Amino acid sequence: MALCGGVGAMALPSELIVHIFSFLSDRDKLRASTVCSRWRECLFYPALWTELKLRVGGGGCSGGGGSSSEDTPKLEFLMRKFGSFVRELQLELAPVEGYLSPLNNEPSSNRMEQTTPGQDNDPQLSERWRDAMATYLDQVLCVFSNIRNNRNLQKLTLYGDTCVLQQEGLLDSSHLHQIHQGDKKINEVQQLFMELLSNTRQLRWLSCSFMLGLVTPCSLASLSNPSAETLQHLSLLDHQLGPLISPSELDRLSNIHTLALDFSDLTSEMCGLLASPSRTPLHRLSLMLNGAALEFKPLDGTATDDDWKALVRVSSNLRVYMMALEVDSSELLRVLKPSLPLERLHLDSYNTLVSDSTLELITHQYNKTLTHFLLLRDDPDFPDLSLNRLEDPLVLLAWRCTQLAVLVIHGYTVWSHNLVAVSRLRGSSLRVLTVSEESIDFDPEQSVCMEGDPVHNLVKEVSLGLGRVWRPCLESSLVLSEPTQHFHRELHAFSMGM
């Protein structure tokens, strides 16, 4: 950037300045814009900012654990400059410090320490919660006020870290009504969102995950006809509302390639529509099943095995990613149909146990399709799934599931000799084997026969089996991420990877 330091830089034509900017990173663009007012003007040329990724709170502008009102002026500036023409907008909000996990790249730990806002007797914390939620509403209003007339928007990805499983229940949109002018602001946010959808003309990607108070069952009806034709990905997730998309609205979206829904919203009727031969075949389907929300969204009427068979006949390349959060085995057995083309399965819980019979079912039904399996439990007890069994169910899974490439385990006892067996069975094809150190146990009888440190021997044997250096994960916080945040990001990668 030696050019920026000379007088000649001020005399360059705007077209050349914009061309120079196009080769720079966002940070270098900002630095170069300090040369003079002309360079500053060129910084905001629309062609330079086709994509905008924003994270407010928790690793965003403020760097704190939750969204700060100090972020709002920065957000307003960016949205005022780029909101009317940006083609791809990705926004993540983390508004409730002390109750929700920070929005950063480090996984959360101690998830059960989060408490429900209405149950904290500390008036200072309650006031802080109300301030944080008021800031969240103001920031959402700021975003949609500036993008509502954007007719060029092609990709909109929204994630609000505002709705997680908590010890006493779920944080839902009713909490927003406790905020000053909360009802008015919620209604305004919903209207602005529908106005945006009606103004778009070439929307290809629409993803709204856990944005508290934003999406209603009527929102998608506002989507313009041109965008209904161009839309290829749709993700609508909310723990407690009723279905966010009706069968008639799904029928209008005939070119959807990838879809993400709450499992309870995937009804038999919905599955039948997706199986229509007149539609574009579905390639990726991401489903979230939250056990705490089953009271509001029961499994009655969800897709049957015959529905899955019909869907797979039309969409032969369909693969499914599912997260089951705090779901007991009896409910899982209702959900895991034989014809479901399951590729990725994430079983995550705080107290609920996954039974060995459930693992056996998974092993038998998805032995040809399963590539990713995550078994996580955030509880001080570490149950032994191989108890009273001749064969460890995780070893059987590694043996039978020949496509398995990712295996992550925490919260269940994994015997060291079984871990060695898993590494030998799958070898280098098992690209990721993450097991927390505290989940690993050693058989005292085997330890007597071995020389040297058992941990060192385990590391050596597993490394030999995988054909690469391997170590157990020393920090459980690196294994346990905030579930909804993990699901949002994984479904994005899963859908993009088609």
Side-chain angles (χ1 to χ4, degrees), residues 41-80:
E41 290 171 2
C42 293
L43 173 66
F44 302 113
Y45 192 76
L48 296 173
W49 299 97
T50 57
E51 181 181 4
L52 192 60
K53 294 182 180 181
L54 302 173
R55 289 191 298 169
V56 181
C61 300
S62 64
S67 180
S68 166
S69 58
E70 296 175 359
D71 296 339
T72 305
K74 304 172 187 177
L75 183 64
E76 287 176 346
F77 172 80
L78 290 170
M79 296 312 302
R80 190 171 61 251

Side-chain angles (χ1 to χ4, degrees), residues 246-260:
S246 66
S248 60
E249 289 303 328
L250 180 64
D251 194 34
R252 194 163 70 109
L253 309 176
S254 59
N255 291 311
I256 291 288
H257 293 164
T258 57
L259 181 65

Side-chain angles (χ1 to χ4, degrees), residues 22 79 86 128 144 206 213 236-237 256 275 350 356 393 401 419 437 445 454 461 467 479:
S22 68
M79 296 312 302
V86 67
R128 186 177 67 179
F144 284 100
L206 177 60
L236 293 179
L237 295 161
I256 291 288
Y350 304 97
D356 56 342
C401 296
L419 193 55
E437 185 182 41
E445 295 181 5
E461 290 296 324
V479 184

Side-chain angles (χ1 to χ4, degrees), residues 55-119:
R55 289 191 298 169
V56 181
C61 300
S62 64
S67 180
S68 166
S69 58
E70 296 175 359
D71 296 339
T72 305
K74 304 172 187 177
L75 183 64
E76 287 176 346
F77 172 80
L78 290 170
M79 296 312 302
R80 190 171 61 251
K81 287 291 185 183
F82 309 125
S84 62
F85 60 79
V86 67
R87 294 184 180 181
E88 298 185 11
L89 175 61
Q90 181 176 319
L91 173 69
E92 296 188 14
L93 296 171
V96 188
E97 182 178 2
Y99 296 106
L100 306 180
S101 82
L103 235 177
N104 54 27
N105 292 326
E106 297 179 0
S108 309
S109 59
N110 301 321
R111 296 179 290 178
M112 284 300 291
E113 293 180 2
Q114 300 167 358
T115 57
T116 305
Q119 305 199 341

